[in-house]
Amino acid sequence: MAKPYPSGGIPLIEAQWSHREFVTAVTPDYVLAKITSARQLLKRGETAESYFPAETAVITTTTIPDEKLNLLSWERELEIVEEFGPDYHVPTDYSTYEEQPADDRLANVERCMEGTVWMAHQIREREIDTMLIPLINGCSPEEWAICYEVLDRCAFEFPMVSYFSTQYFTGGAGIRVNELVADVREIATRQPRSIVLIGLLSPTYLRRMPRTVRAGTGLNQWRQPISPRKQTGQEMRSIWKQVSDKVSDALEQPRATDYTPSTSEEVA
């Protein structure tokens, strides 16, 4: 039986004591871990199955800082996925930035898609029980279109894709949430798959996204109100339920498919 694709609020989990205490107490439906965290845990003799509760599905992602991403080959990434055993994996990221030369950015989008297809073949050949959630990579509709075309003609079915939203909140340009909403809406109208947003767990912002956004992931929304060293398991469960319910409400409420934020609209 095929696994259901992720939905709702998904906490980003790092390989540290306090994060494990949170997951053990709360047992969220899904967690997101960077591929570097998975590698750390493997060095400690852990796998996704041994480290996380049985009720929690694990997603790993290659959306990591450039200095680490540039050292990660496809082959090593595949080894980590096979050994760690996540339920889902966001494969073969290549960083793209608006300030990059257009040719470099285009080449990175193409490499990301080439890696995704390669990874899908390898997972099937090795019979690895991990489902891929490809990245829609790039900074423009023309670059995103490369991703749609590759996924559409690929022999593998990908019902869900991912989009990295962290860069809209970092880099010194302020919070570019209106731009993020517009970009995600463009992606949603050009391809039919469900979307998980990596780096966005704010109910306020998720409420503004198109209906095909089914999940959001992040760290601050759970880490700020929860302190495993000071709170009981019951307290953590109660707080996470409030956070998770707000995210679910934001994602499940009616959302217009053609919504475009105005330039005068305040950032919530």
Side-chain angles (χ1 to χ4, degrees), residues 213-268:
V213 172
R214 300 306 305 149
T217 78
L219 176 64
N220 291 337
Q221 289 291 319
W222 77 263
R223 197 63 185 90
Q224 288 178 351
I226 292 178
S227 178
R229 295 184 184 276
K230 298 178 181 179
Q231 295 165 345
T232 65
Q234 179 58 45
E235 289 171 328
M236 286 190 282
R237 285 190 291 274
S238 176
I239 295 170
W240 171 249
K241 186 177 186 307
Q242 294 174 36
V243 172
S244 180
D245 285 351
K246 288 179 181 178
V247 171
S248 295
D249 289 346
L251 291 171
E252 291 169 5
Q253 71 172 16
R255 288 170 283 160
T257 56
D258 58 353
Y259 171 77
T260 301
S262 67
T263 55
S264 62
E265 188 173 356
E266 289 189 13
V267 175

Side-chain angles (χ1 to χ4, degrees), residues 25 63 82 94 110 133 176 182 187 199 221:
T63 52
E82 185 169 22
Y94 281 83
E110 292 174 342
I133 305 177
R176 298 183 291 130
I187 292 168
Q221 289 291 319

Side-chain angles (χ1 to χ4, degrees), residues 194-209:
S194 297
I195 301 170
V196 53
L197 293 178
I198 298 174
L200 187 67
L201 195 57
S202 163
T204 300
Y205 297 157
L206 288 170
R207 187 174 295 114
R208 299 172 58 183
M209 294 298 168

Side-chain angles (χ1 to χ4, degrees), residues 142-202:
E142 293 76 20
E143 291 160 1
W144 302 328
I146 295 171
C147 303
Y148 315 150
E149 291 165 7
V150 171
L151 298 181
D152 286 346
R153 69 172 184 260
C154 182
F156 302 94
E157 183 180 356
F158 300 112
M160 174 172 267
V161 293
S162 54
Y163 187 67
F164 188 60
S165 61
T166 302
Q167 70 268 28
Y168 292 83
F169 302 93
T170 58
I175 296 176
R176 298 183 291 130
V177 68
N178 283 355
E179 185 179 340
L180 174 60
V181 172
D183 287 351
V184 174
R185 182 152 305 284
E186 168 70 18
I187 292 168
T189 59
R190 299 299 177 183
Q191 59 86 46
R193 301 167 185 85
S194 297
I195 301 170
V196 53
L197 293 178
I198 298 174
L200 187 67
L201 195 57
S202 163

